[in-house]
Structure formats: structure tokens, C-alpha cells
Amino acid sequence: MDAPAQMAKLEVRLLGELALIEGDRPLPLPASKKTRALFVYLLLCAKPVRREKLCDLFFDIPDDPRAALRWSLSKIRTMLCSHAEALHADRDRVFLNPDH
């Protein structure tokens, strides 16, 4: 029986242009600048952040900021590919675990 395949490490480059690299291949980033900014903010916080705070910071819109946040979180999960489990979200908080 073969050993389980090891998942390629995910690298985030913050200096210069934002880049997300898995192994040796770059991963596509979402088109939304707000979603990219949300991703970097969660990564740098390295602790759970209340959804209300994220809505105030990134989605100060009159329509439905929580829906906009959910949309961005789904784009971040898609962007993370096989590392999507690093993004934890419950009713109140969102956390991006850089060690996952």
C-alpha cells in the first residue's frame, strides 16, 4: 500500500504583488480587491475576528454586508483549493489558520 500523498505547502507572498503559491504553481487570486484585502487581513490577524468587525471594515454597504462577507469567504475557500480547511467560520467569528 502506498503512503498517503503529502499535500503541497501553501506559500503567501505579501511583499510586492500578492501571490499564493502551492508547491511550485501559482494559484489564481479572486478578482475582488476587497476579497484579497480580507484574505490578507485574516492571515495577518492570526486570531478569530468577529463577523461584525469584518463587515464594518470591508463591507460598509447599505444592502447586506453579511451576504457580501459570505460571498468573499466562499471566494477565499475556492482560492485556497486543497487548503480550504484553513478557513474557519462560524456564526460569529472567522479565522484563517496559517498553520493548517
Side-chain angles (χ1 to χ4, degrees):
M1 189 175 216
D2 293 336
Q6 191 170 20
M7 192 180 330
K9 188 162 180 123
L10 192 63
E11 176 186 346
V12 181
R13 293 185 184 160
L14 299 175
L15 295 177
E17 191 170 331
L18 177 64
L20 190 61
I21 301 163
E22 184 177 38
D24 60 350
R25 70 181 176 101
L27 297 177
L29 297 170
S32 167
K33 289 180 183 178
K34 282 186 180 186
T35 300
R36 291 179 188 196
L38 173 63
F39 170 71
V40 171
Y41 181 81
L42 290 170
L43 185 66
L44 294 177
C45 276
K47 65 179 183 178
V49 182
R50 295 193 62 80
R51 283 181 180 262
E52 290 82 19
K53 181 175 182 174
L54 295 174
C55 287
D56 290 343
L57 287 172
F58 294 99
F59 304 102
D60 188 21
I61 55 176
D63 294 341
D64 189 355
R66 288 183 70 92
L69 176 60
R70 283 191 304 273
W71 181 86
S72 281
L73 292 174
S74 72
K75 297 298 179 189
I76 291 171
R77 277 192 191 92
T78 301
M79 175 182 75
L80 292 172
C81 297
S82 59
H83 299 271
E85 68 279 353
L87 182 64
H88 303 276
D90 62 26
R91 282 183 74 151
D92 299 318
R93 292 184 169 81
V94 178
F95 175 56
L96 183 61
N97 184 351
D99 299 324
H100 203 259

